[in-house]
Amino acid sequence: MVPAFVLLLGMSQKTAVATSLVAIVLTAIAASLKNQTNGFIQWEIALPAGIAAALVAYFGADALRHLENATLTRIFAIVLILVGLRMLWVK
């Protein structure tokens, strides 16, 4: 979503990240309800991981304030490239 918001809607990188997080929350709620019904959620892993991720995200949002949009864009691009390369070569 972030690349689409930046490239197609002309948002700044920071605004795109923050806006996509709201969209992800709504999507995650809907999918989690269905996944719970289907019996796919391992709560003993999901709850601690979710709590840890929420704490990191909360403090990460403050870090976002101090980063320049260009720096954030570069970090995002590097992460996408590394994940893409891993997906291509790791089975």
Side-chain angles (χ1 to χ4, degrees):
M1 265 188 266
V2 172
F5 287 167
V6 171
L7 297 173
L8 301 177
L9 301 179
M11 287 184 185
S12 73
Q13 189 75 22
K14 291 179 184 181
T15 301
V17 167
T19 303
S20 72
L21 287 172
V22 174
I24 289 168
V25 166
L26 299 174
T27 304
I29 290 169
S32 295
L33 291 171
K34 191 62 168 174
N35 286 325
Q36 172 58 29
T37 301
N38 292 334
F40 294 148
I41 298 175
Q42 292 183 320
W43 289 104
E44 67 278 4
I45 295 171
L47 289 178
I51 291 168
L55 288 171
V56 170
Y58 180 81
F59 292 108
D62 278 338
L64 184 66
R65 237 180 351 164
H66 303 292
L67 288 174
E68 296 290 330
N69 274 311
T71 303
L72 186 60
T73 300
R74 286 185 188 101
I75 292 168
F76 191 79
I78 290 167
V79 169
L80 284 178
I81 290 167
L82 293 173
V83 169
L85 288 171
R86 188 174 193 288
M87 289 174 71
L88 285 172
W89 282 289
V90 176
K91 294 180 182 179

